[in-house]
Amino acid sequence: MARTLAMFTDTSLCIGCRACQVACKQWNELGMEVPQWTGTYQNQPHFTDQTYRLVRFVEEARPTGELAWLLMSDVCKHCVQAGCLEACPTGAIYRTQYGTVDLNQEACNGCRYCVSSCPFGVVAFDKGPGTAKKCTFCNDRIQNGLGPACAKACPTDSIQFGFREDLVAKAQKRVEALKGMGVRDAQLYGADPRGFLGGLNAFFLLLSKPSTYNLPDSPKLPQRNVVADSLLSIGSGVLVGLGALLAFRGRGQGGGDA
Amino acid sequence: MTTNLIDIQNADVIMATSNMAENHPVGFQFVMKAKERGAKLIHVDPRFTRTSAAADMHLPLRSGTNIAFFGGLIKYAIDNNLYFKDYVVHYTNASFLIDPEFKTATDLAGLFEGFDEAKRAYDQKSWKYQLDTEGNPKRDLTLRDPQSVFQLMRRQYNRYTVEMVERVCGIPKEKFIAAATLFCGASGPEKTGTITYALNLTQHTNGVENIRALCMLQLLLGNVGRPGGGVVALRGHANVQGATDLAVLYQDLPGYHPTPLRDAHPDLKTYLEKTTPKSGFVVNRPKWVVSMLKAWYGDKATRENDYGFDWIPKRAAADAYSQQHIFVDMYNGKIKGFFAIGQNPAVGGSNTRVVREALHKLDWLVVQDIFLTETAEVWKAPASSSRAAVNPKDVKTEVFFLPAAPAAEKDGTLTNTMRLIQWHDKAVDPPGDVRSDAEHIYQLGRRLKTLYAGSKAKRDQGLLALTWDYGDKHPSILKVLVEMNGIALEELKDKDGKVLYKKGDPLRTFADLRDDGTTASGIWIYTGVTVADAEGKIVNRAAGRKKADDKDYLAHGWGWSWPANRRILYNRAAAAPDGRPWSEKKKFLWWDPEAPSNVPDKKGRWVGLDVPDFNAFLAPDAKGGDNPYIMRADGKGAFFGPLLDGPFPEHYEPMESPVKNLLSKTQNNPTAKLWKVGEKRNELAGVGSTEYPYVITTYRLTEHHLSGVMSRNLPLLAELFESHFAELSHELARELGIENGERVTVMTPRGKIHVKAMVTRRLKPFTIDGKTVHQIGVPWHWGYNGVPALPGSKGDITNDLSANVGDPNVFIQESKAFLCNVKKGVV
């Protein structure tokens, strides 16, 4: 098993330029889309079947009264415990030898279970071919010794690519350095393998709590609810069935006035 | 820029006055590196932008008040003793005494001594040094003499208090003081700071003085010529520096010689006399100019015919030929034909409704560009908010479109903002009829020469004399580059008879250029970019790609930077007067007294991390050994620096302003240029206008490029913004009942546009002298062409709003600060 690869997006170095967003579209030969007005520079409110890297712009009024403009290049998190992968009935979504989560278009049957199983809303459905689409961690590039297109394009090295342990160590040092410089809310998101989803292979350094960026504070796999939900469903079914039996018990014996 | 992008990482503090992260994203990585090393970033900008997002401090500054801001910093540094005294005394003209008649703008209600009301110009006779009996400037090294430049500067800026900065710029006092303490405090032997600027300073009626103010501050703090210091002028992508080097500007010849004036410079001798100072490195100008003429006219340029000086076009007047002059003249029917080569003035000019109408008056128009631009299709422009659709039948202009190749389809060099010349090889051939600009121009020249062959008319002789043999179909760009570099036209020997060059050898340094017709060089500052190896083969140093390493963090083997591959200019100032580094930490260039000299019986040379921007063998204590500013006649950095509008920058309000000038009784730059255009086509809003009450600034976004030709025609870039927009504060939006995403109308006396409103916390109203002043921002990238499937890639032309007003020195337009009104909805 090869060492796990990861992308570390350090938003403290992001200048919101969108080189990553465009490089991704160019490399993956994604199509032009009609943008949507979001009220900010962001040109799509969500990931789409043609936008796998999406730069988000969040204006945050700090308690000091100062303004912060949080710039974040969002992407598929390549979760260690991936909801899309677990939901996929055909195995089209699979984990590569590098730990990244790829989506084999040929094996996809368009069922869209993956779309609803992603806690981050990353996966989108492409009506054209009728298949699901998401960031592949530039699988064609990493299988040939290259890093992802977004990391290559980033002018400030905000998106870093390498082996996971190396990047996590670097990220931890970076958070400490930022805190030392007075950036109190600097925090990692998805670096911890003991944290949510077993950790993210595309993890982040954020400058505010996750919900500021519309990221879930503690994302869970919907599949983790399957046993409990199923038992509840079965249990409810049994109760309804028993209730029905009890309610109609007297009918067959001609109770009541004749 | 005087320094180098890579070197920015050495700054202890960075003041970005321009929107560097958005407009120079690749260079900005070095600002991020500086931050990682603990540097602080201050961003000064009316808007909170992506640069502010990375900054430790954002100072909101009302557009058009840059001199009030810098003047405030100059006063603060002096009052609080934060300036670098040794540097100031020895390396600047602070100690020089000025003519006793001279008075500052503090004394004369906003004017300097010598203003002629009738001519609206200055008589500069008192703007000069006092001289001793030997003709040298008198100095007071204690800086106490009231007529010393230092004390005059202090007097000039004594009105620029922190309270005044708050009242005029709208920067809260505490914020200004915090920033001033931080920036000015990072000065002296152990620290350096750098300041970036771009069009935030240039595009004003006091644009040149804005830059002067920044330079003065950097000289005061002793930052210029030192690592992590300098003046970071951020030029445009990818080749604006290269373009101005090679005289795309009307007032320069290649290498920045003044374009001759017809009446003042009737012959070469007079021209050289008037433009060559008596001291300083520019005494060599005759060598550079004659060599340039030899490059242009080859054997036809001889001593007898003034090397062809008569053949080069002369300016009929100084107050002419700028971009704004051209379109006003065109509108008035004076210009018959026009080439727009990689230029889209229909969108990128000023007062662009007038520009587009002017283009309709031409007999012929040639547009040479990568896409069909708004200028190329000005004859059928669709309806906009400002005017009805153009009926092609009404336009008599014959329009030609020459499809031009973009960078990847041609060989050539680009010179970026750090003066770095990088050669790029062609990646693919241009398709179909597409040709490179070089081929178009080369072929045009050849055909014109054929057309005019045998002509005896005086005005045709220059064209016929031009050397024009760079290839058959497509010119060899390398051949052109070697000609620009310069070659020896015959065998050249030094004064001892040693052969320096064989005939035809490329020259290694501009020091070898001569004024006797034996050398040719298209542009003296590029001499050294192509040299010959031991076998005589051309080495194109612009193609070098040796990366930086521990020994050479400035990467002297990557590309080649003019002049002489120096990466940081004025680097003599990185050492103290005695030649030792100012400090171990800021070591950069120093005098090694033991190193071998260039003559056998002497020792000593300047060594360090860069090519010395100084005579490498001139000892620090020799005559001139403490003159780092080699391009100035007196070798010193200038606090006192005469320009047409004053020897010191003085705050004046923009030509359209919401408030009266609080610094003096002189409202505007008294020497600024204002054009009268047709019937009321260039009206200005009055001071404090209620019809146009809001300040408007125009700017660029990372995602789009200039007039949008190279971005709004590319789907993956065109889709990054949903539509053309204006940024408004929540406060203004509330006042006008405007919601985020609603269409609004922005109008000025020149025109109006319809855009979407982006309501944001990143713009806030200013409090100017106790009064609320709103400011909006509008990017100017949009025009009527674009990607058909993306309606938002097309939009109204922002420059329809701007006016024809200009800086008196260079006539640049004031697109950064004027007045507008905003109305809800489409009006």
Side-chain angles (χ1 to χ4, degrees):
Chain A
M1 181 77 186
R3 286 173 70 193
T4 305
L5 289 173
M7 278 195 276
F8 166 42
T9 302
D10 181 351
T11 68
S12 74
L13 294 174
C14 179
I15 53 175
C17 70
R18 286 139 2 117
C20 54
Q21 193 173 318
V22 176
C24 167
K25 292 196 74 153
Q26 194 179 30
W27 177 262
N28 290 300
E29 295 179 312
L30 301 177
M32 176 193 80
E33 298 168 275
V34 178
Q36 295 197 41
W37 180 264
T38 62
T40 73
Y41 289 6
Q42 193 169 323
N43 68 326
Q44 295 289 348
H46 312 290
F47 292 109
T48 71
D49 57 297
Q50 305 293 314
T51 295
Y52 300 166
R53 256 277 175 196
L54 178 62
V55 180
R56 300 190 189 277
F57 296 80
V58 181
E59 292 177 18
E60 185 194 41
R62 296 248 155 193
T64 52
E66 292 295 305
L67 179 66
W69 200 13
L70 304 172
L71 308 170
M72 183 226 184
S73 171
D74 201 1
V75 73
C76 166
K77 316 289 181 296
H78 295 273
C79 312
V80 174
Q81 293 159 13
C84 58
L85 193 154
E86 299 205 10
C88 178
T90 66
I93 301 183
Y94 69 99
R95 198 170 294 280
T96 70
Q97 77 269 44
Y98 297 116
T100 59
V101 179
D102 189 24
L103 204 166
N104 179 349
Q105 291 293 310
E106 261 115 76
C108 175
N109 68 1
C111 72
R112 286 174 263 194
Y113 291 170
C114 56
V115 174
S116 37
S117 302
C118 173
F120 306 101
V122 163
V123 193
F125 181 70
D126 188 348
K127 287 204 278 287
T131 58
K133 292 279 175 72
K134 76 171 193 73
C135 160
T136 65
F137 207 112
C138 276
N139 198 51
D140 47 358
R141 291 177 64 93
I142 61 176
Q143 297 298 341
N144 285 286
L146 301 171
C150 53
K152 183 167 165 58
C154 178
T156 55
D157 278 340
S158 165
I159 302 176
Q160 294 161 50
F161 159 73
F163 295 116
R164 192 173 200 282
E165 322 91 69
D166 297 338
L167 288 178
V168 170
K170 209 169 165 207
Q172 281 162 344
K173 281 211 193 76
R174 178 74 180 145
V175 172
E176 291 318 307
L178 283 169
K179 288 208 164 97
M181 290 189 213
V183 186
R184 284 182 339 191
D185 294 332
Q187 55 195 269
L188 295 177
Y189 185 75
D192 188 354
R194 294 157 308 167
F196 56 76
L197 303 176
L200 307 174
N201 287 332
F203 63 97
F204 295 80
L205 191 156
L206 304 175
L207 299 175
S208 183
K209 57 192 197 303
S211 51
T212 312
Y213 299 82
N214 272 339
L215 291 167
D217 282 314
S218 38
K220 296 191 210 356
L221 290 177
Q223 288 85 357
R224 291 294 169 272
N225 298 330
V226 166
V227 174
D229 286 348
S230 306
L231 286 174
L232 282 169
S233 297
I234 294 166
S236 317
V238 165
L239 279 173
V240 168
L242 279 174
L245 280 171
L246 285 167
F248 295 119
R249 199 173 30 132
R251 296 259 186 119
Q253 286 155 346
D257 300 76
Chain B
M1 55 202 284
T2 66
T3 175
N4 187 285
L5 289 168
I6 301 170
D7 186 61
I8 290 177
Q9 64 190 303
N10 291 320
D12 295 290
V13 66
I14 299 164
M15 183 181 303
T17 68
S18 63
N19 189 7
M20 188 181 180
E22 294 200 37
N23 294 308
H24 291 81
V26 176
F28 198 76
Q29 67 182 286
F30 298 105
V31 174
M32 288 303 198
K33 287 202 169 64
K35 283 186 63 182
E36 275 174 65
R37 295 182 185 189
K40 293 277 183 242
L41 173 64
I42 303 167
H43 184 223
V44 187
D45 195 309
R47 303 181 302 131
F48 187 105
T49 70
R50 287 174 271 194
T51 305
S52 323
D56 296 288
M57 230 185 255
H58 172 243
L59 266 56
L61 166 120
R62 173 171 65 99
S63 286
T65 64
N66 300 291
I67 291 173
F69 176 72
F70 283 119
L73 287 173
I74 289 171
K75 177 172 165 59
Y76 190 87
I78 294 175
D79 288 350
N80 293 284
N81 218 16
L82 292 172
Y83 61 98
F84 190 170
K85 187 137 193 235
D86 281 340
Y87 187 109
V88 167
V89 168
H90 294 285
Y91 295 157
T92 76
N93 68 2
S95 63
F96 288 39
L97 303 187
I98 299 297
D99 189 297
E101 292 300 305
F102 174 78
K103 292 197 172 38
T104 71
T106 298
D107 303 301
L108 299 176
L111 296 170
F112 296 96
E113 175 59 38
F115 188 66
D116 183 329
E117 187 62 54
K119 292 188 188 151
R120 294 203 70 71
Y122 281 102
D123 177 350
Q124 299 185 6
K125 67 174 186 290
S126 69
W127 299 9
K128 59 184 199 293
Y129 300 142
Q130 293 177 31
L131 301 177
D132 62 22
T133 49
E134 277 150 42
N136 298 318
K138 286 189 184 164
R139 294 172 77 173
D140 170 21
L141 296 178
T142 70
L143 306 183
R144 288 204 202 100
D145 190 309
Q147 270 325 84
S148 65
V149 167
F150 187 81
Q151 292 300 335
L152 288 170
M153 177 169 67
R154 208 159 156 230
R155 187 159 175 72
Q156 163 69 19
Y157 296 111
N158 72 3
R159 291 164 287 147
Y160 293 63
T161 60
V162 303
E163 287 79 20
M164 186 58 84
V165 172
E166 183 173 69
R167 287 168 70 204
V168 172
C169 306
I171 300 174
K173 218 168 67 173
E174 318 75 49
K175 266 204 157 156
F176 178 76
I177 290 171
T181 309
L182 176 59
F183 192 75
C184 301
S187 63
E190 300 281 337
K191 293 193 174 178
T192 53
T194 193
I195 310 185
T196 82
Y197 80 90
L199 297 101
N200 64 301
L201 292 192
T202 65
Q203 288 183 344
H204 295 272
T205 45
N206 50 9
V208 184
E209 296 283 12
N210 281 337
I211 299 164
R212 276 268 300 136
L214 182 163
C215 293
M216 286 164 66
L217 178 64
Q218 285 296 71
L219 287 174
L220 193 59
L221 301 177
N223 280 327
V224 186
R226 302 178 61 203
V231 173
V232 178
L234 292 168
R235 312 299 306 277
H237 306 298
N239 192 40
V240 169
Q241 183 69 57
T244 61
D245 293 344
L246 283 138
V248 78
L249 295 176
Y250 71 95
Q251 80 267 35
D252 292 328
L253 293 175
Y256 301 104
H257 311 297
T259 308
L261 289 158
R262 180 192 60 201
D263 300 330
H265 306 133
D267 53 42
L268 180 64
K269 180 162 176 287
T270 313
Y271 170 75
L272 290 176
E273 255 161 31
K274 289 194 171 172
T275 62
T276 304
K278 301 278 184 289
S279 55
F281 198 66
V282 187
V283 297
N284 294 300
R285 195 193 295 285
K287 302 173 187 170
W288 309 331
V289 172
V290 171
S291 297
M292 181 194 78
L293 293 169
K294 287 298 287 183
W296 289 3
Y297 300 117
D299 294 335
K300 304 256 179 16
T302 64
R303 185 188 302 276
E304 290 68 41
N305 67 8
D306 259 5
Y307 298 105
F309 180 79
D310 276 354
W311 295 328
I312 58 181
K314 312 291 186 305
R315 287 185 282 159
D319 182 358
Y321 307 110
S322 77
Q323 182 252 141
Q324 294 196 78
H325 285 101
I326 287 174
F327 288 104
V328 173
D329 281 350
M330 199 188 287
Y331 184 76
N332 291 332
K334 293 199 192 135
I335 296 183
K336 304 299 176 195
F338 188 72
F339 274 84
I341 302 179
Q343 286 248 310
N344 192 17
V347 174
S350 341
N351 200 354
T352 37
R353 285 178 60 206
V354 168
V355 170
R356 295 195 298 280
E357 286 171 41
L359 291 164
H360 293 164
K361 298 191 186 188
L362 295 167
D363 289 348
W364 54 266
L365 168 66
V366 178
V367 177
Q368 192 169 301
D369 217 310
I370 302 172
F371 291 98
L372 284 168
T373 64
E374 285 78 4
T375 301
E377 303 207 301
V378 75
W379 53 276
K380 55 169 186 165
S384 75
S385 314
S386 285
R387 57 160 300 149
V390 176
N391 184 346
K393 288 194 169 58
D394 298 336
V395 181
K396 307 282 182 292
T397 315
E398 192 171 2
V399 182
F400 300 85
F401 182 75
L402 301 179
E409 294 171 2
K410 51 193 182 180
D411 288 335
T413 63
L414 297 170
T415 305
N416 72 11
T417 190
M418 55 188 197
R419 296 165 279 103
L420 184 69
I421 306 165
Q422 296 179 91
W423 176 274
H424 296 270
D425 287 322
K426 175 165 76 163
V428 289
D429 285 323
D433 283 338
V434 177
R435 303 276 179 271
S436 69
D437 289 326
E439 187 172 333
H440 278 139
I441 292 167
Y442 183 56
Q443 286 300 328
L444 182 65
R446 285 179 75 161
R447 288 161 200 231
L448 286 173
K449 281 162 88 63
T450 306
L451 191 64
Y452 285 94
S455 167
K456 295 285 178 271
K458 190 161 180 281
R459 72 178 184 193
D460 297 335
Q461 299 314 305
L463 173 70
L464 295 174
L466 276 180
T467 58
W468 203 252
D469 56 347
Y470 305 103
D472 181 34
K473 197 154 175 303
H474 194 287
S476 158
I477 303 299
L478 183 60
K479 198 163 180 210
V480 175
L481 186 61
V482 173
E483 184 185 277
M484 282 160 58
N485 177 87
I487 54 176
L489 295 175
E490 45 187 76
E491 183 180 78
L492 297 180
K493 299 195 172 111
D494 68 12
K495 56 180 171 21
D496 301 319
K498 173 159 159 270
V499 173
L500 291 171
Y501 301 96
K502 294 191 310 299
K503 176 174 168 169
D505 281 349
L507 300 170
R508 289 180 291 272
T509 155
F510 47 69
D512 291 333
L513 292 175
R514 298 173 183 198
D515 63 358
D516 59 5
T518 56
T519 56
S521 163
I523 171 172
W524 71 279
I525 48 180
Y526 280 43
T527 307
V529 68
T530 55
V531 293
D533 65 12
E535 281 87 54
K537 200 161 161 291
I538 295 287
V539 175
N540 181 354
R541 297 173 73 184
R545 290 295 184 267
K546 183 163 183 292
K547 289 190 178 175
D549 58 31
D550 292 329
K551 292 204 186 66
D552 183 11
Y553 82 96
L554 291 168
H556 287 82
W558 184 294
W560 189 90
S561 91
W562 68 259
N565 208 18
R566 290 172 185 139
R567 303 298 169 121
I568 296 186
L569 297 180
Y570 313 119
N571 54 34
R572 164 69 184 91
D578 65 4
R580 284 189 294 196
W582 287 112
S583 66
E584 189 55 36
K585 182 162 170 258
K586 295 287 174 178
K587 229 169 121 135
F588 190 76
L589 195 86
W590 58 92
W591 176 255
D592 179 353
E594 296 307 312
S597 180
N598 59 343
V599 289
D601 54 339
K602 280 174 70 186
K603 277 200 290 186
R605 70 179 295 165
W606 291 95
V607 298
L609 300 167
D610 195 7
V611 176
D613 190 15
F614 202 66
N615 179 338
F617 304 103
L618 182 64
D621 54 357
K623 183 167 188 291
D626 60 349
N627 286 351
Y629 294 91
I630 59 172
M631 296 301 280
R632 302 200 72 250
D634 53 39
K636 305 293 187 201
F639 289 111
F640 191 90
L643 289 168
L644 290 179
D645 35 5
F648 290 126
E650 165 71 4
H651 171 73
Y652 300 112
E653 287 289 321
M655 297 305 275
E656 286 189 330
S657 169
V659 294
K660 283 169 66 143
N661 187 352
L662 297 169
L663 262 327
S664 80
K665 290 208 199 73
T666 308
Q667 176 70 15
N668 302 119
N669 185 341
T671 59
K673 174 78 181 178
L674 169 61
W675 280 267
K676 181 178 178 309
V677 182
E679 273 308 304
K680 292 182 179 296
R681 297 305 300 275
N682 191 35
E683 297 295 279
L684 297 183
V687 179
S689 166
T690 49
E691 215 190 323
Y692 303 100
Y694 313 126
V695 177
I696 170 175
T697 191
T698 62
Y699 52 85
R700 304 156 199 226
L701 303 160
T702 313
E703 295 83 348
H704 280 294
H705 193 62
L706 301 178
S707 66
V709 175
M710 281 164 54
S711 55
R712 285 182 298 102
N713 284 308
L714 297 179
L716 294 187
L717 295 179
E719 70 168 28
L720 291 175
F721 282 96
E722 192 266 352
S723 80
H724 192 7
F725 62 95
E727 294 184 297
L728 274 66
S729 68
H730 280 277
E731 291 84 350
L732 181 60
R734 217 172 294 128
E735 229 179 76
L736 300 175
I738 290 172
E739 308 263 316
N740 196 336
E742 249 196 89
R743 280 179 82 73
V744 297
T745 306
V746 181
M747 54 241 271
T748 70
R750 278 78 52 191
K752 69 177 176 198
I753 61 174
H754 296 132
V755 289
K756 277 205 182 162
M758 187 180 288
V759 181
T760 169
R761 287 196 198 84
R762 294 174 294 101
L763 267 75
K764 286 211 155 346
F766 291 100
T767 303
I768 305 300
D769 202 25
K771 191 175 95 151
T772 298
V773 171
H774 290 286
Q775 174 159 342
I776 73 164
V778 190
W780 61 274
H781 300 294
W782 273 263
Y784 43 80
N785 286 0
V787 173
L790 292 178
S793 70
K794 307 180 192 195
D796 282 340
I797 294 172
T798 304
N799 276 309
D800 284 2
L801 304 173
S802 57
N804 286 121
V805 294
D807 175 288
N809 301 289
V810 295
F811 307 114
I812 191 165
Q813 72 272 25
E814 191 155 64
S815 28
K816 286 295 176 185
F818 50 105
L819 292 179
C820 73
N821 200 348
V822 180
K823 293 235 160 35
K824 183 181 163 83
V826 172
V827 170

